[in-house]
Amino acid sequence: MKSLDNVRFVLVGTTHPGNIGAAARAMKTIGITNLHLVSPKIYPSAEATTRASGADDVLHRAVVHDSLDEALVGCHYAFAMSARLRHLHVPVMNPREAVTQLEKFDDDTHIAIVFGREHSGLSNEEIDRCQYLVNIPANPDYSSLNLAAAVQVVAYELRMSFQPNIDHGRIGEEREAITADDLAHLYDHFERSLTTIGFLDPENPRYLLRRIRRLFNRADLDRNELQIMHGILRAAETKARKE
């Protein structure tokens, strides 16, 4: 399975409509838009739309069902989310292990991630309709995740498996690399400027210049940043000469 489009998130018996909106928001931030609702107590709802915070399209496309069986139509596998480990003959795994499992499925496999009610979760009968049981390994002294938080955890793990790439660039600019010669000129400029403003004693430099070199070696300057540093040093020299 290689596409997030083949994943549906199923919310069963959601009590608070705001949680539906928050879950939709959590899904959209990851790129999952296939939402199914089973017998929600209140839906549609203005509160759900408000909590969606821009994920209105996910809510508008959400499919409402009368039963979990209806919500699972067309799915090859279902993963039941449960905060409580139960004595059931169902494989139990954490979200990362669950994603590793579904990575083994064929590309055209459709799966459902099933979330239960806020206070009582899924019933044993509902879990019986799923092939896998997923438990988020939270703090044992305070393991209560709200619905949207649980949705976000699972959605994130899916994203990291199928579409993990991020843009490492900077918004609005292209980084131009600098050379060792550029850095050598910057260090020479630092030595001249710090001497001019009286910060560096050329007869007793100690470790100052070495620490400056270490600092800028870690900084990974680009061409624009290099020019900024030269400009600051020239301005400092000019100011010192006028005084």
Side-chain angles (χ1 to χ4, degrees):
M1 202 195 82
K2 297 182 180 179
S3 174
L4 292 177
D5 293 336
N6 291 347
V7 180
R8 70 180 63 171
F9 277 32
V10 180
L11 310 185
V12 177
T14 310
T15 302
H16 303 291
N19 289 335
I20 297 175
R25 179 181 181 182
M27 292 170 58
K28 186 172 182 178
T29 59
I30 298 300
I32 300 173
T33 59
N34 198 354
L35 176 62
H36 289 246
L37 307 173
V38 177
S39 301
K41 183 175 182 180
I42 303 173
Y43 189 82
S45 164
E47 184 179 356
T49 302
T50 299
R51 291 286 301 279
S53 298
D56 308 49
D57 53 331
V58 177
L59 291 180
H60 292 160
R61 289 198 297 267
V63 183
V64 180
H65 305 276
D66 293 328
S67 69
L68 178 58
D69 286 337
E70 289 181 12
L72 295 181
V73 169
C75 289
H76 299 91
Y77 298 98
F79 292 74
M81 299 297 302
S82 178
R84 300 186 305 277
L85 297 178
R86 314 184 189 201
H87 299 291
L88 299 173
H89 297 294
V90 179
V92 181
M93 55 189 67
N94 64 43
R96 191 160 299 177
E97 292 169 333
V99 171
T100 299
Q101 175 62 39
L102 64 87
E103 285 174 343
K104 302 174 185 177
F105 298 153
D106 293 337
D107 292 353
D108 60 352
T109 301
H110 288 258
I111 71 162
I113 312 294
V114 184
F115 298 82
R117 300 156 191 83
E118 292 95 325
H119 299 297
S120 58
L122 295 169
S123 67
N124 289 342
E125 290 75 17
E126 289 163 341
I127 291 178
D128 287 341
R129 287 164 173 75
C130 303
Q131 289 83 8
Y132 302 95
L133 182 62
V134 183
N135 177 268
I136 297 174
N139 177 4
D141 295 326
Y142 189 72
S143 60
S144 177
L145 270 72
N146 63 39
L147 177 59
V151 167
Q152 191 78 80
V153 168
V154 178
Y156 172 79
E157 291 294 341
L158 285 164
R159 181 77 180 193
M160 289 302 294
S161 175
F162 293 97
Q163 298 176 11
N165 296 330
I166 59 175
D167 182 7
H168 292 280
R170 299 183 181 183
I171 297 175
E173 68 177 50
E174 293 290 335
R175 297 199 75 200
E176 181 182 351
I178 61 175
T179 66
D181 289 342
D182 293 323
L183 280 175
H185 292 152
L186 177 64
Y187 300 148
D188 289 342
H189 197 175
F190 257 105
E191 184 172 5
R192 294 195 308 273
S193 297
L194 296 180
T195 301
T196 299
I197 67 176
F199 190 80
L200 172 67
D201 180 1
E203 302 299 326
N204 187 27
R206 295 188 178 182
Y207 296 107
L208 177 60
L209 294 177
R210 179 177 293 174
R211 290 184 181 278
I212 288 175
R213 289 187 178 91
R214 290 177 178 173
L215 170 64
F216 285 103
N217 283 339
R218 293 196 305 269
D220 187 27
L221 295 178
D222 62 21
R223 181 71 57 186
N224 287 336
E225 294 162 343
L226 181 76
Q227 296 304 323
I228 289 171
M229 295 310 306
H230 279 298
I232 292 172
L233 294 173
R234 284 193 293 269
E237 291 174 290
T238 301
K239 179 71 173 177
R241 293 189 184 105
K242 290 180 179 179
E243 293 180 349

